């Protein structure tokens, strides 16, 4: 080996050492907004359903909470008014209390003097009206719980159709990027539909349970009022 060859080998070694290693590509991070944008136009109705479900949950929770407000002395005061024959004061107390059970008692007081069966029927009819008021918006939650996942599955089907169409159009030159958008749409809409459906389902069952407790309280107050009317003065 000549001196020139040795110098050239050393120069090649120095050049290779100085050349930086090829950097490993870092995958781009996707935030929630970017992921939602990949879902396509079906994300718009799913977003509207989620907002409506949350609004109904909060609004109905506040209404049911007000309906569950209870005055521990209410029935004692009603008993005293009725036994003393002061029905006007009893009805004024019901109006001031302004709760579902107070409206039931007010309806019963307005029927005092009629047969007991008529009083009970009037109270039950008023109770049905009060419960239907509390259930306002619940059919929408039930529909969302069933419909949102279906919209998500619709997005899955349309996304897969788009993906396979692109594969067929590209032929032998197709790659992962050819049908990636369709796969994104399929997966994102499925996830979004299931999330919205789960929120609506849990909200519906929670509100139904709260309304059932109100119904139990109304039945208890009705029985207490009917027993009151049968008490001796």
């Amino acid at each position: 080996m000549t001196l020139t060859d040795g110098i050239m080998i050393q120069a090649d070694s120095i050049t290779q050492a100085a050349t930086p290693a090829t950097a490993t590509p870092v995958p781009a991070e996707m935030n929630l907004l970017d992921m939602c944008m990949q879902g396509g136009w079906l994300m718009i109705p799913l977003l509207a359903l989620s907002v409506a479900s949350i609004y109904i949950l909060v609004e109905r929770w506040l209404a049911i909470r007000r309906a569950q407000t209870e005055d521990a002395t209410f029935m004692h005061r009603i008993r005293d008014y009725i036994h003393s024959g002061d029905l006007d004061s009893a009805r004024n107390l019901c109006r001031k209390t302004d709760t579902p059970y107070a409206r039931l008692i007010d309806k019963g007081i307005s029927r005092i003097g009629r047969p007991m069966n008529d009083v009970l029927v009037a109270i039950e009819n008023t109770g049905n009206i009060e419960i239907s008021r509390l259930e306002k918006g619940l059919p929408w939650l039930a529909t969302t719980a069933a419909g949102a996942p279906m919209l998500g599955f619709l997005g899955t089907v349309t996304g897969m159709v788009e993906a396979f169409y692109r594969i067929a159009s590209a032929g032998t030159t197709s790659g992962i990027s050819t049908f990636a958008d369709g796969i994104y749409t399929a997966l994102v809409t499925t996830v979004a539909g299931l999330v919205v459906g789960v929120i609506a389902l849990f909200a519906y069952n929670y509100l139904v349970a709260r309304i059932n407790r109100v119904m139990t309280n109304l039945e208890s107050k009705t029985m207490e009022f009917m027993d009151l009317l049968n008490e001796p003065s």
Side-chain angles (χ1 to χ4, degrees), residues 123-217:
I123 293 176
E124 289 177 347
N125 291 337
T126 304
N128 292 333
I129 294 173
E130 293 294 332
I131 293 301
S132 63
R133 287 176 180 172
L134 292 177
E135 291 177 342
K136 183 182 67 175
L138 265 62
W140 180 263
L141 282 180
T143 302
T144 301
M150 299 302 293
L151 282 176
F153 293 148
L154 176 61
T156 300
V157 173
T158 56
M160 296 304 295
V161 168
E162 179 184 355
F164 282 109
Y165 175 77
R166 291 187 178 184
I167 293 173
S169 299
T172 57
T173 62
S174 64
I176 187 65
S177 59
T178 306
F179 57 94
D181 289 340
I183 299 298
Y184 274 136
T185 301
L187 297 179
V188 170
T189 53
T190 300
V191 172
L194 290 174
V195 169
V196 175
V198 167
I199 292 174
L201 179 62
F202 276 88
Y204 175 82
N205 289 330
Y206 172 74
L207 293 176
V208 167
R210 295 287 297 268
I211 291 174
N212 287 338
R213 287 200 288 270
V214 174
M215 290 177 62
T216 301
N217 185 44

Side-chain angles (χ1 to χ4, degrees), residues 21-217:
T22 304
T24 303
V26 178
E29 294 184 359
M30 178 180 291
N31 55 38
L32 182 60
L33 179 60
D34 293 336
M35 186 166 58
C36 292
M37 294 297 292
Q38 291 289 345
W41 64 271
L42 278 173
M43 296 299 291
I44 297 175
L46 287 174
L47 176 62
L49 289 175
S50 65
V51 172
S53 298
I54 294 173
Y55 170 79
I56 293 172
L57 171 61
V58 174
E59 191 271 336
R60 286 294 87 195
W61 179 79
L62 293 174
I64 295 171
R65 185 182 180 185
R66 288 193 298 269
Q68 290 180 316
T69 303
E70 190 166 354
D71 183 359
T73 65
F74 177 78
M75 290 305 299
H76 296 290
R77 297 164 67 185
I78 290 293
R79 178 181 287 105
D80 293 338
Y81 286 137
I82 291 178
H83 285 173
S84 63
D86 192 358
L87 300 185
D88 290 336
S89 296
R91 298 196 66 182
N92 288 334
L93 175 61
C94 293
R95 296 189 185 99
K96 290 178 181 178
T97 305
D98 193 24
T99 57
Y101 68 82
R103 286 187 281 273
L104 260 67
I105 301 302
D106 181 53
K107 178 61 69 173
I109 294 173
S110 69
R111 296 296 189 271
I112 288 179
R114 298 187 181 183
M116 295 295 289
N117 187 59
D118 292 348
V119 177
L120 183 59
V121 169
I123 293 176
E124 289 177 347
N125 291 337
T126 304
N128 292 333
I129 294 173
E130 293 294 332
I131 293 301
S132 63
R133 287 176 180 172
L134 292 177
E135 291 177 342
K136 183 182 67 175
L138 265 62
W140 180 263
L141 282 180
T143 302
T144 301
M150 299 302 293
L151 282 176
F153 293 148
L154 176 61
T156 300
V157 173
T158 56
M160 296 304 295
V161 168
E162 179 184 355
F164 282 109
Y165 175 77
R166 291 187 178 184
I167 293 173
S169 299
T172 57
T173 62
S174 64
I176 187 65
S177 59
T178 306
F179 57 94
D181 289 340
I183 299 298
Y184 274 136
T185 301
L187 297 179
V188 170
T189 53
T190 300
V191 172
L194 290 174
V195 169
V196 175
V198 167
I199 292 174
L201 179 62
F202 276 88
Y204 175 82
N205 289 330
Y206 172 74
L207 293 176
V208 167
R210 295 287 297 268
I211 291 174
N212 287 338
R213 287 200 288 270
V214 174
M215 290 177 62
T216 301
N217 185 44

